[in-house]
mmCIF file of all heavy atoms in Angstrom:
data_model
loop_
_atom_site.group_PDB
_atom_site.id
_atom_site.type_symbol
_atom_site.label_atom_id
_atom_site.label_comp_id
_atom_site.label_asym_id
_atom_site.label_seq_id
_atom_site.Cartn_x
_atom_site.Cartn_y
_atom_site.Cartn_z
ATOM 1 N N LEU A 1 -5.703 -15.949 1.575
ATOM 2 C CA LEU A 1 -6.038 -15.549 2.942
ATOM 3 C C LEU A 1 -7.434 -15.925 3.264
ATOM 4 O O LEU A 1 -7.726 -16.445 4.381
ATOM 5 C CB LEU A 1 -5.786 -14.069 3.038
ATOM 6 C CG LEU A 1 -6.091 -13.475 4.451
ATOM 7 C CD1 LEU A 1 -5.215 -14.102 5.508
ATOM 8 C CD2 LEU A 1 -5.916 -12.003 4.449
ATOM 9 N N ILE A 2 -8.392 -15.650 2.396
ATOM 10 C CA ILE A 2 -9.828 -15.791 2.821
ATOM 11 C C ILE A 2 -10.175 -17.317 2.824
ATOM 12 O O ILE A 2 -11.286 -17.602 3.270
ATOM 13 C CB ILE A 2 -10.735 -15.000 1.917
ATOM 14 C CG1 ILE A 2 -10.711 -15.544 0.488
ATOM 15 C CG2 ILE A 2 -10.445 -13.539 2.004
ATOM 16 C CD1 ILE A 2 -11.861 -14.949 -0.414
ATOM 17 N N SER A 3 -9.284 -18.171 2.357
ATOM 18 C CA SER A 3 -9.609 -19.609 2.547
ATOM 19 C C SER A 3 -9.639 -19.941 4.009
ATOM 20 O O SER A 3 -10.250 -20.948 4.338
ATOM 21 C CB SER A 3 -8.529 -20.474 1.846
ATOM 22 O OG SER A 3 -7.257 -20.398 2.477
ATOM 23 N N PHE A 4 -9.022 -19.129 4.832
ATOM 24 C CA PHE A 4 -9.083 -19.382 6.289
ATOM 25 C C PHE A 4 -10.222 -18.742 6.966
ATOM 26 O O PHE A 4 -10.409 -18.873 8.212
ATOM 27 C CB PHE A 4 -7.743 -18.848 6.890
ATOM 28 C CG PHE A 4 -6.494 -19.557 6.365
ATOM 29 C CD1 PHE A 4 -5.728 -18.885 5.397
ATOM 30 C CD2 PHE A 4 -6.143 -20.793 6.770
ATOM 31 C CE1 PHE A 4 -4.587 -19.546 4.882
ATOM 32 C CE2 PHE A 4 -5.011 -21.460 6.247
ATOM 33 C CZ PHE A 4 -4.242 -20.789 5.315
ATOM 34 N N LEU A 5 -11.065 -18.077 6.198
ATOM 35 C CA LEU A 5 -12.267 -17.404 6.734
ATOM 36 C C LEU A 5 -13.510 -18.194 6.517
ATOM 37 O O LEU A 5 -13.655 -18.876 5.495
ATOM 38 C CB LEU A 5 -12.485 -16.051 6.051
ATOM 39 C CG LEU A 5 -11.844 -14.778 6.621
ATOM 40 C CD1 LEU A 5 -12.236 -13.599 5.735
ATOM 41 C CD2 LEU A 5 -12.289 -14.517 8.049
ATOM 42 N N LYS A 6 -14.441 -18.117 7.492
ATOM 43 C CA LYS A 6 -15.751 -18.725 7.318
ATOM 44 C C LYS A 6 -16.530 -17.899 6.274
ATOM 45 O O LYS A 6 -16.229 -16.709 6.117
ATOM 46 C CB LYS A 6 -16.522 -18.766 8.702
ATOM 47 C CG LYS A 6 -15.855 -19.562 9.718
ATOM 48 C CD LYS A 6 -16.599 -19.446 11.066
ATOM 49 C CE LYS A 6 -15.962 -20.246 12.151
ATOM 50 N NZ LYS A 6 -16.603 -20.085 13.431
ATOM 51 N N PRO A 7 -17.540 -18.493 5.603
ATOM 52 C CA PRO A 7 -18.392 -17.736 4.723
ATOM 53 C C PRO A 7 -18.968 -16.592 5.462
ATOM 54 O O PRO A 7 -19.474 -16.783 6.604
ATOM 55 C CB PRO A 7 -19.414 -18.735 4.257
ATOM 56 C CG PRO A 7 -18.723 -20.070 4.338
ATOM 57 C CD PRO A 7 -17.851 -19.933 5.576
ATOM 58 N N GLY A 8 -18.963 -15.351 4.914
ATOM 59 C CA GLY A 8 -19.443 -14.176 5.572
ATOM 60 C C GLY A 8 -18.533 -13.542 6.523
ATOM 61 O O GLY A 8 -18.781 -12.460 7.038
ATOM 62 N N GLY A 9 -17.317 -14.169 6.737
ATOM 63 C CA GLY A 9 -16.342 -13.630 7.600
ATOM 64 C C GLY A 9 -15.739 -12.353 6.953
ATOM 65 O O GLY A 9 -15.799 -12.134 5.777
ATOM 66 N N ARG A 10 -15.133 -11.503 7.801
ATOM 67 C CA ARG A 10 -14.609 -10.252 7.286
ATOM 68 C C ARG A 10 -13.084 -10.175 7.465
ATOM 69 O O ARG A 10 -12.511 -10.670 8.407
ATOM 70 C CB ARG A 10 -15.230 -9.054 8.039
ATOM 71 C CG ARG A 10 -16.696 -8.935 7.730
ATOM 72 C CD ARG A 10 -17.313 -7.568 8.088
ATOM 73 N NE ARG A 10 -18.695 -7.538 7.681
ATOM 74 C CZ ARG A 10 -19.375 -6.360 7.568
ATOM 75 N NH1 ARG A 10 -18.805 -5.242 7.866
ATOM 76 N NH2 ARG A 10 -20.631 -6.349 7.236
ATOM 77 N N VAL A 11 -12.475 -9.508 6.461
ATOM 78 C CA VAL A 11 -11.048 -9.206 6.521
ATOM 79 C C VAL A 11 -10.866 -7.688 6.470
ATOM 80 O O VAL A 11 -11.568 -6.972 5.709
ATOM 81 C CB VAL A 11 -10.284 -9.886 5.349
ATOM 82 C CG1 VAL A 11 -10.893 -9.542 4.008
ATOM 83 C CG2 VAL A 11 -8.813 -9.505 5.382
ATOM 84 N N GLY A 12 -10.073 -7.143 7.390
ATOM 85 C CA GLY A 12 -9.844 -5.743 7.477
ATOM 86 C C GLY A 12 -8.362 -5.415 7.577
ATOM 87 O O GLY A 12 -7.685 -6.044 8.383
ATOM 88 N N VAL A 13 -7.955 -4.480 6.775
ATOM 89 C CA VAL A 13 -6.490 -4.065 6.816
ATOM 90 C C VAL A 13 -6.390 -2.518 6.977
ATOM 91 O O VAL A 13 -7.237 -1.761 6.419
ATOM 92 C CB VAL A 13 -5.764 -4.539 5.521
ATOM 93 C CG1 VAL A 13 -5.941 -6.021 5.354
ATOM 94 C CG2 VAL A 13 -6.202 -3.808 4.318
ATOM 95 N N ALA A 14 -5.334 -2.191 7.682
ATOM 96 C CA ALA A 14 -4.920 -0.751 7.732
ATOM 97 C C ALA A 14 -3.479 -0.759 7.220
ATOM 98 O O ALA A 14 -2.586 -1.409 7.753
ATOM 99 C CB ALA A 14 -4.927 -0.294 9.173
ATOM 100 N N THR A 15 -3.271 -0.015 6.104
ATOM 101 C CA THR A 15 -1.997 -0.115 5.420
ATOM 102 C C THR A 15 -1.618 1.324 4.955
ATOM 103 O O THR A 15 -2.503 2.054 4.540
ATOM 104 C CB THR A 15 -2.134 -1.075 4.193
ATOM 105 O OG1 THR A 15 -0.858 -1.130 3.553
ATOM 106 C CG2 THR A 15 -3.228 -0.655 3.265
ATOM 107 N N PRO A 16 -0.289 1.626 4.928
ATOM 108 C CA PRO A 16 0.105 2.938 4.407
ATOM 109 C C PRO A 16 -0.412 3.195 3.039
ATOM 110 O O PRO A 16 -0.454 2.260 2.197
ATOM 111 C CB PRO A 16 1.652 2.878 4.446
ATOM 112 C CG PRO A 16 1.930 1.802 5.477
ATOM 113 C CD PRO A 16 0.863 0.825 5.376
ATOM 114 N N SER A 17 -0.707 4.435 2.792
ATOM 115 C CA SER A 17 -1.378 4.766 1.508
ATOM 116 C C SER A 17 -0.884 6.135 1.009
ATOM 117 O O SER A 17 -0.519 7.008 1.840
ATOM 118 C CB SER A 17 -2.874 4.819 1.707
ATOM 119 O OG SER A 17 -3.554 5.292 0.550
ATOM 120 N N LEU A 18 -0.876 6.310 -0.268
ATOM 121 C CA LEU A 18 -0.754 7.625 -0.894
ATOM 122 C C LEU A 18 -2.160 8.029 -1.382
ATOM 123 O O LEU A 18 -2.943 7.184 -1.697
ATOM 124 C CB LEU A 18 0.289 7.625 -2.065
ATOM 125 C CG LEU A 18 1.671 7.243 -1.679
ATOM 126 C CD1 LEU A 18 2.546 7.208 -2.950
ATOM 127 C CD2 LEU A 18 2.292 8.227 -0.676
ATOM 128 N N THR A 19 -2.410 9.326 -1.399
ATOM 129 C CA THR A 19 -3.727 9.738 -1.877
ATOM 130 C C THR A 19 -3.870 9.694 -3.390
ATOM 131 O O THR A 19 -4.939 9.786 -3.906
ATOM 132 C CB THR A 19 -3.948 11.195 -1.402
ATOM 133 O OG1 THR A 19 -2.922 12.080 -1.950
ATOM 134 C CG2 THR A 19 -3.982 11.286 0.114
ATOM 135 N N LYS A 20 -2.710 9.443 -4.090
ATOM 136 C CA LYS A 20 -2.738 9.224 -5.556
ATOM 137 C C LYS A 20 -1.810 8.073 -5.820
ATOM 138 O O LYS A 20 -0.773 7.889 -5.172
ATOM 139 C CB LYS A 20 -2.277 10.471 -6.280
ATOM 140 C CG LYS A 20 -3.120 11.738 -6.026
ATOM 141 C CD LYS A 20 -2.529 12.961 -6.745
ATOM 142 C CE LYS A 20 -3.325 14.209 -6.440
ATOM 143 N NZ LYS A 20 -2.737 15.410 -7.044
ATOM 144 N N GLU A 21 -2.146 7.287 -6.830
ATOM 145 C CA GLU A 21 -1.280 6.219 -7.232
ATOM 146 C C GLU A 21 0.092 6.655 -7.775
ATOM 147 O O GLU A 21 0.148 7.688 -8.485
ATOM 148 C CB GLU A 21 -1.978 5.314 -8.280
ATOM 149 C CG GLU A 21 -3.110 4.453 -7.709
ATOM 150 C CD GLU A 21 -2.584 3.437 -6.715
ATOM 151 O OE1 GLU A 21 -1.604 2.760 -7.017
ATOM 152 O OE2 GLU A 21 -3.146 3.334 -5.638
ATOM 153 N N VAL A 22 1.146 5.926 -7.403
ATOM 154 C CA VAL A 22 2.492 6.295 -7.898
ATOM 155 C C VAL A 22 2.515 6.404 -9.447
ATOM 156 O O VAL A 22 3.197 7.349 -9.935
ATOM 157 C CB VAL A 22 3.534 5.227 -7.365
ATOM 158 C CG1 VAL A 22 4.834 5.361 -8.105
ATOM 159 C CG2 VAL A 22 3.672 5.335 -5.857
ATOM 160 N N ALA A 23 1.854 5.527 -10.073
ATOM 161 C CA ALA A 23 1.859 5.523 -11.583
ATOM 162 C C ALA A 23 1.341 6.869 -12.088
ATOM 163 O O ALA A 23 1.878 7.408 -13.060
ATOM 164 C CB ALA A 23 1.035 4.392 -12.123
ATOM 165 N N GLY A 24 0.322 7.382 -11.393
ATOM 166 C CA GLY A 24 -0.227 8.713 -11.844
ATOM 167 C C GLY A 24 0.652 9.890 -11.501
ATOM 168 O O GLY A 24 0.495 10.908 -12.076
ATOM 169 N N LEU A 25 1.544 9.619 -10.545
ATOM 170 C CA LEU A 25 2.436 10.745 -10.115
ATOM 171 C C LEU A 25 3.698 10.718 -10.950
ATOM 172 O O LEU A 25 4.500 11.641 -10.868
ATOM 173 C CB LEU A 25 2.809 10.553 -8.633
ATOM 174 C CG LEU A 25 1.701 10.726 -7.586
ATOM 175 C CD1 LEU A 25 2.161 10.280 -6.210
ATOM 176 C CD2 LEU A 25 1.226 12.184 -7.509
ATOM 177 N N GLY A 26 3.874 9.712 -11.736
ATOM 178 C CA GLY A 26 5.068 9.587 -12.569
ATOM 179 C C GLY A 26 6.299 9.043 -11.823
ATOM 180 O O GLY A 26 7.425 9.087 -12.361
ATOM 181 N N GLY A 27 6.089 8.525 -10.668
ATOM 182 C CA GLY A 27 7.177 7.986 -9.847
ATOM 183 C C GLY A 27 6.975 8.253 -8.364
ATOM 184 O O GLY A 27 6.067 8.984 -7.994
ATOM 185 N N ILE A 28 7.776 7.646 -7.553
ATOM 186 C CA ILE A 28 7.693 7.848 -6.142
ATOM 187 C C ILE A 28 8.204 9.244 -5.789
ATOM 188 O O ILE A 28 9.311 9.608 -6.173
ATOM 189 C CB ILE A 28 8.513 6.814 -5.376
ATOM 190 C CG1 ILE A 28 8.051 5.373 -5.685
ATOM 191 C CG2 ILE A 28 8.448 7.010 -3.851
ATOM 192 C CD1 ILE A 28 8.935 4.255 -5.176
ATOM 193 N N PRO A 29 7.402 10.057 -5.104
ATOM 194 C CA PRO A 29 7.842 11.413 -4.762
ATOM 195 C C PRO A 29 9.183 11.382 -3.997
ATOM 196 O O PRO A 29 9.417 10.478 -3.222
ATOM 197 C CB PRO A 29 6.800 11.976 -3.869
ATOM 198 C CG PRO A 29 5.540 11.162 -4.311
ATOM 199 C CD PRO A 29 6.053 9.802 -4.615
ATOM 200 N N ASP A 30 10.020 12.374 -4.232
ATOM 201 C CA ASP A 30 11.383 12.380 -3.667
ATOM 202 C C ASP A 30 11.381 12.240 -2.156
ATOM 203 O O ASP A 30 12.172 11.516 -1.517
ATOM 204 C CB ASP A 30 12.101 13.666 -4.081
ATOM 205 C CG ASP A 30 12.526 13.646 -5.520
ATOM 206 O OD1 ASP A 30 12.471 12.561 -6.149
ATOM 207 O OD2 ASP A 30 12.825 14.718 -6.076
ATOM 208 N N HIS A 31 10.465 12.991 -1.478
ATOM 209 C CA HIS A 31 10.475 12.916 -0.001
ATOM 210 C C HIS A 31 10.085 11.599 0.544
ATOM 211 O O HIS A 31 10.530 11.202 1.613
ATOM 212 C CB HIS A 31 9.618 14.063 0.556
ATOM 213 C CG HIS A 31 8.143 13.952 0.262
ATOM 214 N ND1 HIS A 31 7.586 14.147 -0.985
ATOM 215 C CD2 HIS A 31 7.075 13.632 1.071
ATOM 216 C CE1 HIS A 31 6.289 14.008 -0.967
ATOM 217 N NE2 HIS A 31 5.985 13.642 0.336
ATOM 218 N N VAL A 32 9.236 10.866 -0.204
ATOM 219 C CA VAL A 32 8.934 9.503 0.177
ATOM 220 C C VAL A 32 10.007 8.506 -0.179
ATOM 221 O O VAL A 32 10.365 7.620 0.674
ATOM 222 C CB VAL A 32 7.572 9.032 -0.468
ATOM 223 C CG1 VAL A 32 7.237 7.649 -0.101
ATOM 224 C CG2 VAL A 32 6.459 10.013 -0.124
ATOM 225 N N ALA A 33 10.605 8.685 -1.313
ATOM 226 C CA ALA A 33 11.710 7.796 -1.757
ATOM 227 C C ALA A 33 12.854 7.869 -0.810
ATOM 228 O O ALA A 33 13.544 6.838 -0.546
ATOM 229 C CB ALA A 33 12.151 8.163 -3.178
ATOM 230 N N ARG A 34 13.153 9.038 -0.310
ATOM 231 C CA ARG A 34 14.288 9.194 0.602
ATOM 232 C C ARG A 34 14.100 8.380 1.878
ATOM 233 O O ARG A 34 15.057 7.958 2.552
ATOM 234 C CB ARG A 34 14.572 10.659 0.941
ATOM 235 C CG ARG A 34 15.201 11.465 -0.144
ATOM 236 C CD ARG A 34 15.731 12.803 0.311
ATOM 237 N NE ARG A 34 14.614 13.676 0.756
ATOM 238 C CZ ARG A 34 13.946 14.476 -0.029
ATOM 239 N NH1 ARG A 34 14.254 14.573 -1.291
ATOM 240 N NH2 ARG A 34 12.994 15.295 0.457
ATOM 241 N N CYS A 35 12.872 8.155 2.258
ATOM 242 C CA CYS A 35 12.545 7.454 3.552
ATOM 243 C C CYS A 35 12.378 5.945 3.342
ATOM 244 O O CYS A 35 12.986 5.154 4.053
ATOM 245 C CB CYS A 35 11.296 8.050 4.162
ATOM 246 S SG CYS A 35 10.825 7.339 5.764
ATOM 247 N N VAL A 36 11.548 5.615 2.348
ATOM 248 C CA VAL A 36 11.194 4.153 2.189
ATOM 249 C C VAL A 36 11.565 3.541 0.839
ATOM 250 O O VAL A 36 11.467 2.307 0.627
ATOM 251 C CB VAL A 36 9.694 3.932 2.430
ATOM 252 C CG1 VAL A 36 9.354 4.314 3.868
ATOM 253 C CG2 VAL A 36 8.855 4.705 1.434
ATOM 254 N N GLY A 37 12.063 4.386 -0.127
ATOM 255 C CA GLY A 37 12.474 3.841 -1.349
ATOM 256 C C GLY A 37 11.360 3.162 -2.149
ATOM 257 O O GLY A 37 10.219 3.581 -2.116
ATOM 258 N N TRP A 38 11.697 2.079 -2.813
ATOM 259 C CA TRP A 38 10.755 1.376 -3.680
ATOM 260 C C TRP A 38 9.599 0.777 -2.982
ATOM 261 O O TRP A 38 8.566 0.461 -3.579
ATOM 262 C CB TRP A 38 11.505 0.259 -4.459
ATOM 263 C CG TRP A 38 12.128 -0.777 -3.604
ATOM 264 C CD1 TRP A 38 13.369 -0.832 -3.159
ATOM 265 C CD2 TRP A 38 11.440 -1.910 -3.045
ATOM 266 N NE1 TRP A 38 13.560 -1.941 -2.335
ATOM 267 C CE2 TRP A 38 12.411 -2.644 -2.255
ATOM 268 C CE3 TRP A 38 10.191 -2.458 -3.111
ATOM 269 C CZ2 TRP A 38 12.099 -3.798 -1.579
ATOM 270 C CZ3 TRP A 38 9.887 -3.635 -2.480
ATOM 271 C CH2 TRP A 38 10.848 -4.280 -1.684
ATOM 272 N N GLU A 39 9.722 0.615 -1.609
ATOM 273 C CA GLU A 39 8.587 0.002 -0.852
ATOM 274 C C GLU A 39 7.298 0.780 -0.977
ATOM 275 O O GLU A 39 6.175 0.300 -0.812
ATOM 276 C CB GLU A 39 8.955 -0.132 0.599
ATOM 277 C CG GLU A 39 10.042 -1.215 0.865
ATOM 278 C CD GLU A 39 10.267 -1.484 2.334
ATOM 279 O OE1 GLU A 39 9.415 -1.074 3.165
ATOM 280 O OE2 GLU A 39 11.250 -2.139 2.671
ATOM 281 N N ALA A 40 7.394 2.087 -1.327
ATOM 282 C CA ALA A 40 6.226 2.938 -1.485
ATOM 283 C C ALA A 40 5.329 2.477 -2.659
ATOM 284 O O ALA A 40 4.216 2.930 -2.800
ATOM 285 C CB ALA A 40 6.617 4.360 -1.617
ATOM 286 N N LEU A 41 5.880 1.600 -3.512
ATOM 287 C CA LEU A 41 5.109 1.038 -4.612
ATOM 288 C C LEU A 41 3.924 0.215 -4.101
ATOM 289 O O LEU A 41 2.939 -0.029 -4.826
ATOM 290 C CB LEU A 41 5.933 0.181 -5.507
ATOM 291 C CG LEU A 41 7.027 0.940 -6.318
ATOM 292 C CD1 LEU A 41 7.944 -0.073 -7.031
ATOM 293 C CD2 LEU A 41 6.388 1.898 -7.302
ATOM 294 N N ALA A 42 3.991 -0.203 -2.866
ATOM 295 C CA ALA A 42 2.896 -0.983 -2.220
ATOM 296 C C ALA A 42 1.935 -0.087 -1.450
ATOM 297 O O ALA A 42 1.008 -0.612 -0.826
ATOM 298 C CB ALA A 42 3.486 -2.057 -1.320
ATOM 299 N N TRP A 43 2.138 1.195 -1.462
ATOM 300 C CA TRP A 43 1.292 2.156 -0.709
ATOM 301 C C TRP A 43 0.149 2.626 -1.628
ATOM 302 O O TRP A 43 0.281 3.670 -2.268
ATOM 303 C CB TRP A 43 2.068 3.283 -0.172
ATOM 304 C CG TRP A 43 3.069 2.907 0.896
ATOM 305 C CD1 TRP A 43 3.398 1.686 1.341
ATOM 306 C CD2 TRP A 43 3.833 3.773 1.685
ATOM 307 N NE1 TRP A 43 4.320 1.707 2.304
ATOM 308 C CE2 TRP A 43 4.579 2.977 2.592
ATOM 309 C CE3 TRP A 43 3.940 5.178 1.762
ATOM 310 C CZ2 TRP A 43 5.486 3.556 3.541
ATOM 311 C CZ3 TRP A 43 4.843 5.722 2.726
ATOM 312 C CH2 TRP A 43 5.583 4.953 3.543
ATOM 313 N N HIS A 44 -0.910 1.842 -1.706
ATOM 314 C CA HIS A 44 -1.998 2.121 -2.668
ATOM 315 C C HIS A 44 -3.165 2.889 -2.025
ATOM 316 O O HIS A 44 -3.348 2.895 -0.784
ATOM 317 C CB HIS A 44 -2.468 0.827 -3.248
ATOM 318 C CG HIS A 44 -1.487 0.172 -4.139
ATOM 319 N ND1 HIS A 44 -1.080 0.670 -5.387
ATOM 320 C CD2 HIS A 44 -0.748 -0.959 -3.978
ATOM 321 C CE1 HIS A 44 -0.213 -0.123 -5.933
ATOM 322 N NE2 HIS A 44 0.033 -1.118 -5.135
#
């Protein structure tokens, strides 16, 4: 992605997040899994 940026250019993202990593929780919480399933693995 940053190959398309000029030197000094900025990249900014807003992305769904959990306040703790899934690995530290021992898995995707049930209430999140019921809604989005495995996609929550990308919510860092």
